[in-house]
Amino acid sequence: MTTTVPRTQDLSEGALGMALLDIERRDLSTARRHLSQATARGVSTGSNASLFHGAPALEFVLARANGVGDDVRAAVDRVVDARLAAAHRRQAAGRLPHLAEWDLIRGLTGLAALLLSRPIAPRLHDVLACLVALAQPARGDGRMLPGWWSAAGPGGTEMTGGHGNNGMAHGIAGPLAVLSLALRAGVSVPGQEEAIGTFAIWLDRHGTHYWSTAAHLDADQPPEAEPARQSWCYGQPGIARAQQLAALALGDPARRQAAEDTVETLLTDPQQLDRITDSTLCHGWAGLLTLTRAVAADSPAPARFTPIVKDLHRRLAADWEHLPKPGFLEGRAGAQLALHDTGTAGWTRALLLT
């Protein structure tokens, strides 16, 4: 008989994600119970540690309640140092990166989001510099490719010609968002504005696709994207929020207008809405509601999003209890956070929406 170890220290599915809801509700006794459950078998600082797992995930949750100790921060610093060293070795070897090196869920983008939440974070500049370096073209398969191109496909297996992931969770929209958030917060490294521009222009061309293939690079224009579910994790809504953040960071009103128009157009289109099949943060009503609120808060015309927010809130309220999982990204805790968000705990930073 095989026993599956509960993913208690996993922010997406485990007790840590449920503790976020407790903190938002100011139910600290239940939060402590969930935190004890999450740390009962220790806290990971290994190669799988990230914003969504292990010590960094624990710091993120504790920080929502102003309860991070020096021991947790020191553990996270060791994780960051190890991930930076691995990225530097890969760069020196001239290899293309794996998504897990730099994406939001598993990589440096998520760690940057965490460090950006700290009052003092000297390692943040080094992490941002690694993300900026992705904007430099790299050689692979005998040709020049975008610096974030991965030989492995979205599922982790080798993909002929590789791919360039575009989404917020695993793609270049994540670095675009965190570099833009950092710039807006007054944190910058050399080449940051140029990298933001490179990623934004790429998404202007390729952002209707979940990911781009070698065939897309060879085409005069990328092919028209197949109809697909639009969500926070993959698709145009998440990318549009990253584009809006980039526009705000660079002072580009035309890009901001285009991003906001995209969100409004998609989320008032019945055919697009019909493709949404659940209430999760990751790819359902909760994520779209949280994203739209963030877009509206940064828009000079927030009232245009009021009917959309009301509609998404109604859909979420009617459906969230049907979710089979209890956790954050794909479960009831995340849906309830979106439904009753007060903006006080700052949990939306985990999604790079704020």
Side-chain angles (χ1 to χ4, degrees):
M1 177 178 177
T2 301
T3 300
T4 301
V5 178
R7 297 173 62 180
T8 55
Q9 60 184 269
D10 187 304
L11 181 60
S12 62
E13 294 183 20
L16 281 179
M18 288 182 276
L20 275 180
L21 177 60
D22 303 329
I23 292 166
E24 176 73 17
R25 289 172 165 172
R26 300 185 180 180
D27 182 359
L28 297 185
S29 62
T30 306
R32 282 191 287 271
R33 187 175 77 246
H34 279 133
L35 288 166
S36 295
Q37 179 186 353
T39 57
R41 301 187 184 187
V43 179
S44 174
T45 57
S47 60
N48 65 343
S50 65
L51 176 60
F52 278 79
H53 187 79
L58 178 61
E59 178 181 335
F60 182 82
V61 174
L62 290 174
R64 303 313 105 199
N66 299 311
V68 183
D70 290 342
D71 56 339
V72 174
R73 286 198 183 93
V76 172
D77 287 345
R78 293 195 296 273
V79 170
V80 173
D81 288 343
R83 299 300 289 273
L84 286 170
H88 292 150
R89 287 193 298 271
R90 190 271 306 166
Q91 291 168 349
R95 298 192 304 271
L96 292 172
H98 191 283
L99 298 183
E101 176 188 302
W102 56 265
D103 73 8
L104 170 62
I105 302 297
R106 299 165 295 177
L108 291 171
T109 295
L111 294 177
L114 174 61
L115 295 178
L116 191 57
S117 300
R118 287 185 181 181
I120 301 173
R123 288 168 173 81
L124 176 59
H125 290 81
D126 291 335
V127 176
L128 295 178
C130 268
L131 296 175
V132 165
L134 296 173
Q136 297 301 314
R139 181 163 290 279
D141 288 336
R143 63 187 298 179
M144 296 307 294
L145 296 165
W148 62 92
W149 202 260
S150 173
T157 57
E158 198 77 10
M159 180 177 181
T160 301
H163 88 297
N165 204 290
N166 297 325
M168 183 73 98
H170 295 295
I172 202 59
L176 176 62
V178 81
L179 289 172
S180 300
L181 286 167
L183 194 59
R184 293 184 76 196
V187 183
S188 64
V189 297
Q192 187 166 334
E193 292 189 23
E194 292 81 359
I196 290 171
T198 295
F199 301 152
I201 291 169
W202 169 273
L203 290 170
D204 288 342
R205 179 177 171 85
H206 296 277
T208 58
H209 293 267
Y210 281 7
W211 54 79
S212 303
T213 67
H216 293 184
L217 298 181
D218 295 330
D220 292 336
Q221 288 292 331
E224 185 174 345
E226 295 290 329
R229 178 183 61 197
Q230 301 295 338
S231 64
W232 163 79
C233 61
Y234 271 112
Q236 293 180 78
I239 289 172
R241 174 55 175 166
Q243 291 275 35
Q244 185 195 35
L245 289 170
L248 293 167
L250 299 179
D252 185 343
R255 182 174 298 282
R256 179 196 53 72
Q257 183 72 48
E260 294 173 15
D261 289 349
T262 294
V263 172
E264 182 179 30
T265 298
L266 289 171
L267 299 185
T268 55
D269 182 343
Q271 289 185 320
Q272 298 288 354
L273 295 173
D274 284 346
R275 297 191 181 99
I276 311 301
T277 57
D278 66 49
S279 293
T280 63
L281 279 175
C282 188
H283 41 255
W285 302 121
L288 293 173
L289 173 60
T290 307
L291 182 151
T292 305
R293 283 177 175 150
V295 170
D298 280 328
S299 172
R304 68 189 291 203
F305 298 101
T306 300
I308 299 172
V309 167
K310 288 181 178 178
D311 179 55
L312 294 173
H313 191 279
R314 176 186 60 79
R315 292 172 186 269
L316 176 59
D319 190 60
W320 73 269
E321 290 181 294
H322 298 134
L323 291 171
K325 295 181 180 181
F328 176 63
L329 265 190
E330 295 187 350
R332 296 185 298 277
Q336 290 175 88
L337 277 165
L339 198 59
H340 305 295
D341 182 30
T342 64
T344 57
W347 62 269
T348 55
R349 174 57 57 86
L351 306 180
L352 285 183
L353 294 177
T354 56

